[in-house]
Amino acid sequence: LSELQKKKIFTENELKKIVKQRKEHEYKINRQGAELILFLRYIEFELTFDKLRQTRIDLAKLKKGAGKLKTVGTQRVLSIFRRAQLRHHGSLVFWKEYINFAEERNCKKALSHIYVNAIKYH
């Protein structure tokens, strides 16, 4: 996030709000018995933020370091999905969402792991 502030993609206040929302989502999904919907809401938040980040990067016409800034959102969402997998591996809705996301983002390596785990649990 500090990189986004340095490159003037987001203001300090915007980043504080984002950090606050991330903390709230993290607290919710780390509670015992966290439901799948809490993970999916967190993923939805991250996808919205990622879309905004992509738009602002494109508008700023960044060349140097833009590649890393564009892929960090995908990696974050995949990590949330991996954590959700530990608790909700029995849900077909979860697996459909996970696979669809990885296919949309063309994450071939992640997809191979997802398919192996989906077969393992079903």
Side-chain angles (χ1 to χ4, degrees), residues 74-75 78 101-112 114:
T74 300
Q75 295 305 315
L78 285 172
F101 174 77
E103 285 177 345
E104 286 173 9
R105 298 293 175 110
N106 200 25
C107 302
K108 294 174 185 170
K109 187 175 179 181
L111 264 174
S112 66
I114 295 167

Side-chain angles (χ1 to χ4, degrees), residues 18-46:
I18 291 163
V19 168
K20 182 180 177 188
Q21 287 181 308
R22 278 184 174 171
K23 281 183 181 179
E24 289 173 6
H25 285 291
E26 286 290 335
Y27 289 137
K28 288 176 184 177
I29 67 170
N30 286 324
R31 286 192 315 227
Q32 188 171 357
E35 295 181 13
L36 178 59
I37 191 71
L38 296 174
F39 286 92
L40 295 178
R41 285 182 187 149
Y42 188 14
I43 289 167
E44 184 180 338
F45 165 76
E46 286 296 335

Side-chain angles (χ1 to χ4, degrees), residues 4-121:
L4 294 172
Q5 187 178 356
K6 285 180 194 174
K7 295 187 185 275
K8 297 185 183 344
I9 304 296
F10 288 96
T11 66
E12 185 177 348
N13 285 338
E14 289 173 322
L15 291 175
K16 283 181 182 179
K17 288 178 185 176
I18 291 163
V19 168
K20 182 180 177 188
Q21 287 181 308
R22 278 184 174 171
K23 281 183 181 179
E24 289 173 6
H25 285 291
E26 286 290 335
Y27 289 137
K28 288 176 184 177
I29 67 170
N30 286 324
R31 286 192 315 227
Q32 188 171 357
E35 295 181 13
L36 178 59
I37 191 71
L38 296 174
F39 286 92
L40 295 178
R41 285 182 187 149
Y42 188 14
I43 289 167
E44 184 180 338
F45 165 76
E46 286 296 335
L47 291 174
T48 303
F49 174 60
D50 191 46
K51 187 182 246 183
L52 179 60
R53 175 182 32 232
Q54 299 279 4
T55 302
R56 289 193 180 186
I57 288 170
D58 292 343
L59 289 174
K61 297 179 182 170
L62 290 179
K63 302 265 190 248
K64 188 177 180 184
K68 182 182 176 192
L69 290 174
K70 287 187 173 188
T71 60
V72 71
T74 300
Q75 295 305 315
R76 186 163 187 86
V77 171
L78 285 172
S79 76
I80 298 167
F81 270 118
R82 282 191 292 272
R83 289 187 285 161
Q85 175 188 319
L86 298 173
R87 295 186 186 184
H88 301 286
H89 54 78
S91 169
L92 290 177
V93 171
F94 163 75
W95 288 108
K96 287 178 186 177
E97 291 292 325
Y98 197 4
I99 290 168
N100 286 339
F101 174 77
E103 285 177 345
E104 286 173 9
R105 298 293 175 110
N106 200 25
C107 302
K108 294 174 185 170
K109 187 175 179 181
L111 264 174
S112 66
H113 292 290
I114 295 167
Y115 285 130
V116 167
N117 287 323
I119 291 168
K120 179 173 137 182
Y121 292 114

